[in-house]
Amino acid sequence: MKNNTVKNESITRLEDDFAQWYTDVCLKAELMDYSSVKGFIIYRPYGYAIWERIQSYLNDRFQKTGHENVYMPMVIPESLFNKEKEHVEGFAPETLIATIGGKNKIEDPLIIRPTSEVLFCEHYAKIISSYRDLPKLYNQWCSVVRWEKTTRPFLRGSEFLWQEGHTMHESEVEARHETLAMLEIYDELGKDLLAIPFVKGRKTDKEKFSGAEETYSIEALMHDGKALQSGTTHYFGQGFCKAFDISYQSKEGKLEHPYQTSWGVSTRLIGSIIMVHGDDNGLVLPPYVAPIQVIVIPIAQQKPGVIPAARKVCEALKQAGLRVKIDESEKTPGYKFADWEMKGVPVRLEIGPRDIENNVCVLAKRNTGEKISVSQDGLVETINNLLKTIHHEMYEKAHRFLLDHIKEVRSIEELKAVVDQGGYAKMMWCGDQACEDKIKELTNATARCMPFNQIEFDDVCPICGKKAHKVVLFAKAY
Amino acid sequence: MKNNTVKNESITRLEDDFAQWYTDVCLKAELMDYSSVKGFIIYRPYGYAIWERIQSYLNDRFQKTGHENVYMPMVIPESLFNKEKEHVEGFAPETLIATIGGKNKIEDPLIIRPTSEVLFCEHYAKIISSYRDLPKLYNQWCSVVRWEKTTRPFLRGSEFLWQEGHTMHESEVEARHETLAMLEIYDELGKDLLAIPFVKGRKTDKEKFSGAEETYSIEALMHDGKALQSGTTHYFGQGFCKAFDISYQSKEGKLEHPYQTSWGVSTRLIGSIIMVHGDDNGLVLPPYVAPIQVIVIPIAQQKPGVIPAARKVCEALKQAGLRVKIDESEKTPGYKFADWEMKGVPVRLEIGPRDIENNVCVLAKRNTGEKISVSQDGLVETINNLLKTIHHEMYEKAHRFLLDHIKEVRSIEELKAVVDQGGYAKMMWCGDQACEDKIKELTNATARCMPFNQIEFDDVCPICGKKAHKVVLFAKAY
């Protein structure tokens, strides 16, 4: 594996400089590239294919729960945007605004959508008039723009890809159920596809979405101990509906406002995958989201019979529905190993003259580096089982890491020590924003969420000394 | 069918006012809605689902021919846009330009992409350096913005959804092959999915894409005899590559510019579907692109056993992979018939007490109105065959209409008569743009294409009287 080492010197070691390691992986694994406009990245085929797999999983889940896809305009007139006060205050500082159309000045400038609540509301006001029109369960896949000062690939961009669900319901109960049900689907996306354990919980008022009554989130813990908010769901109550005059005639003939939710995940999830699973050799992809699950490397490929045998194996796996690729390039096996390790392909299949003779091949697991020699008979089943094992191992490893990095704290010093070292400080909180602000000021950590698991371990807020009945997780975050 | 008639008075008759009929169908079939910004429409679930089926068909075809999906920024700095002279001249008059970001003036204003050639070129310049990097076969699904004065749903919008393929090749032959191969895929999309026969051909220089050496198109003929350009493919030669300094080292060690293509279809295809197949009762959807293929209507649904029987049939069809929906609403069957006819569902399945008793149900074909009573045994096969028949009938009807509306002309008067009545005037052309301009001026018709079928039927250009060896189709167009 000498070549391997040579090649991988090209990325920074994870322990040396995590931020630089992250950027190196993004570029060297060919997930993205920079464009000439700051914060607007290019999603290269390998990165975009990961997003397409996430889309496919979620589209299926959304459809099965009765949601429909729509597409709204990418621009919002400034006058419309200004209708909901809290909302506009939250987003106005980071909007991109178009002022010229067809060489003429636009009277009511157009904001490139940072999120589409107001567009959905305007439409809903037109199409909802009776209880028969409810619920409305719409979802949109699109890109949104937020003019950010500091940008990082996938984590914080001026433009990113996402889905935004926007729903309207007859009752508060139903809308609240939707808010939590969609959070559950995001959580299962982590379990089924990304091999990422999320902490689920409710945001504090300080951290909630501009205009929402309640925000819930899934939070992932990165390798460096920082948290990454990876998806949110919002319960809006009737706030927007009142501002946008959305009402319907109930079964009883009364005019009522519906109850609203919205929810979204974005290409930020790709950042999550990189920073939860990656290592010094590059990306490590969970098998079910990996664009290529098995890379076939012919060994001594110039020898007669090797390439045909490798192609035959490749074809058989493809036929069985696996995502397989063969690397027949002129590079040495060592270089190929390193290339595909960098791209995080879960399984490498090596096949050379001796393997062919013995009807075997070698499988190497990207997540652990283990190599095993297996029979070519029943290879599809062997590999399917191996992918399942790899997924399980990756999830469990990330889960252990997460559990090891949640620590109860009873003072600001303890909290600071935990978040400085990396991880979640679990604290009892009085509920006052002043204490939250103070923590931010002293430690740079923010309240990530009030986890659903609310087992109280103390009854005093360590910041102000008052009674505390809320369990909150603080961490430094991306 | 009394209710049916009542209800359908709500749309304009096709013969009375085609333009108004079109708008009525767009709205009443719930394909789209208007937003508060002119030309930026809302793709409602039913309309968007049609687009998703087109995407799915094309994604499959693109993938099988080795193409990869990517996502480029939605903005283009003005300075970058100005690099290719012809290109910028073609698009500059209709650009939407962002000038304010995060409350600050943007130094190099950002054009919201009207098309992404320059973005792809900038990226290709970075990632192409050797013949080993070629071909690059990229495709992007996104929305683009063109600030249009006159807009119509799906046909001409300030924002529309599309795919844009951008490819780079070692040789001119390979790039020319790609240009025609993708046109062939678009043509097959028409045959397999949309039941639309296209005329394929090459655009005249006057009508070609800004910056392309050659443009090819698929043209569809609408019910009113106007043509609709429904997709284009472009051969760029090395023009952009020179402007953007894209070069690679060939096998022989020489520095060369690659050869480029681009190609796209858009949500305009939805307009095509409406105007090729629709009738006075509304939309008529070809079965394989229809979001709902079979609508199940329980008859006398208040009677015991009817709803359960209808649901059972619905479930069985769903299990077989058909796209089915049941309408259990409180409306009368007549109203339901009219509703789903408006939405163009290919097959209506009626099932009432007597049908249940006799183990039959009634199938009504949207395209012809025919009704047949069929056994519930083997229903899946019956319906699959019926959908195939409907697709075939719709294609054949459109094809006959197309063939009936291509007429050879030998004078400007004949040409004017043909295009005024609706249809293609097939004319021999000398090749001078002056003659093309004159036709436009006198008849308002444009050269749609020089069809691949170039059987010369005369040797004189009727406009100038010079020798003519090109067959061109002229028509009024959307």
Side-chain angles (χ1 to χ4, degrees), chain B residues 236-388:
Chain B
F236 284 101
Q238 298 174 306
F240 276 84
C241 288
K242 285 174 185 164
F244 283 83
D245 204 15
I246 306 170
S247 56
Y248 70 96
Q249 191 152 36
S250 72
K251 274 193 197 81
E252 296 74 29
K254 283 203 289 187
L255 210 60
E256 308 268 11
H257 293 296
Y259 296 82
Q260 184 181 3
T261 85
S262 83
W263 28 274
V265 295
S266 75
T267 36
R268 185 171 245 219
L269 287 170
I270 299 174
S272 240
I273 295 170
I274 300 169
M275 291 196 290
V276 166
H277 300 301
D279 66 20
D280 281 337
N281 293 328
L283 194 60
V284 182
L285 286 178
Y288 301 123
V289 83
I292 302 169
Q293 297 175 306
V294 182
I295 181 73
V296 176
I297 313 267
I299 307 293
Q301 66 182 29
Q302 70 290 354
K303 297 222 170 131
V306 172
I307 293 269
R311 282 186 191 164
K312 200 177 145 200
V313 163
C314 183
E315 201 45 48
L317 299 181
K318 232 178 238 174
Q319 286 303 322
L322 287 161
R323 298 189 289 277
V324 197
K325 198 181 155 83
I326 184 166
D327 184 348
E328 298 182 13
S329 66
E330 295 146 21
K331 295 174 224 167
T332 66
Y335 267 94
K336 290 185 191 178
F337 292 0
D339 273 358
W340 296 107
E341 278 175 10
M342 179 64 69
K343 290 197 142 193
V345 176
V347 173
R348 180 177 73 229
L349 188 156
E350 304 166 21
I351 183 163
R354 239 178 314 165
D355 302 312
I356 296 165
E357 219 167 88
N358 299 325
N359 191 39
V360 298
C361 59
V362 171
L363 302 179
K365 282 161 66 184
R366 174 65 182 90
N367 63 322
T368 60
E370 291 166 85
K371 282 171 80 155
I372 45 169
S373 180
V374 302
S375 169
Q376 285 188 37
D377 300 334
L379 190 59
V380 168
E381 204 190 335
T382 307
I383 290 181
N384 273 326
N385 286 336
L386 191 63
L387 294 177
K388 199 185 278 182

Side-chain angles (χ1 to χ4, degrees), chain A residues 37-54:
Chain A
V37 187
K38 190 169 157 291
F40 289 76
I41 65 166
I42 292 161
Y43 294 79
R44 298 190 67 179
Y46 200 60
Y48 194 75
I50 294 172
W51 182 236
E52 285 183 311
R53 299 214 72 77
I54 293 170

Side-chain angles (χ1 to χ4, degrees), chain A residues 272-333:
Chain A
S272 242
I273 295 171
I274 300 169
M275 291 197 290
V276 167
H277 299 301
D279 65 20
D280 282 336
N281 293 328
L283 194 60
V284 182
L285 285 178
Y288 300 123
V289 84
I292 302 167
Q293 298 175 306
V294 182
I295 181 73
V296 176
I297 313 267
I299 306 293
Q301 67 182 26
Q302 70 290 354
K303 295 220 171 134
V306 172
I307 292 270
R311 283 186 191 166
K312 199 177 148 203
V313 164
C314 183
E315 202 44 49
L317 299 180
K318 234 178 235 173
Q319 287 303 320
L322 288 161
R323 299 190 288 279
V324 197
K325 198 181 155 84
I326 185 167
D327 184 349
E328 299 182 12
S329 66
E330 296 147 20
K331 294 174 223 168
T332 67

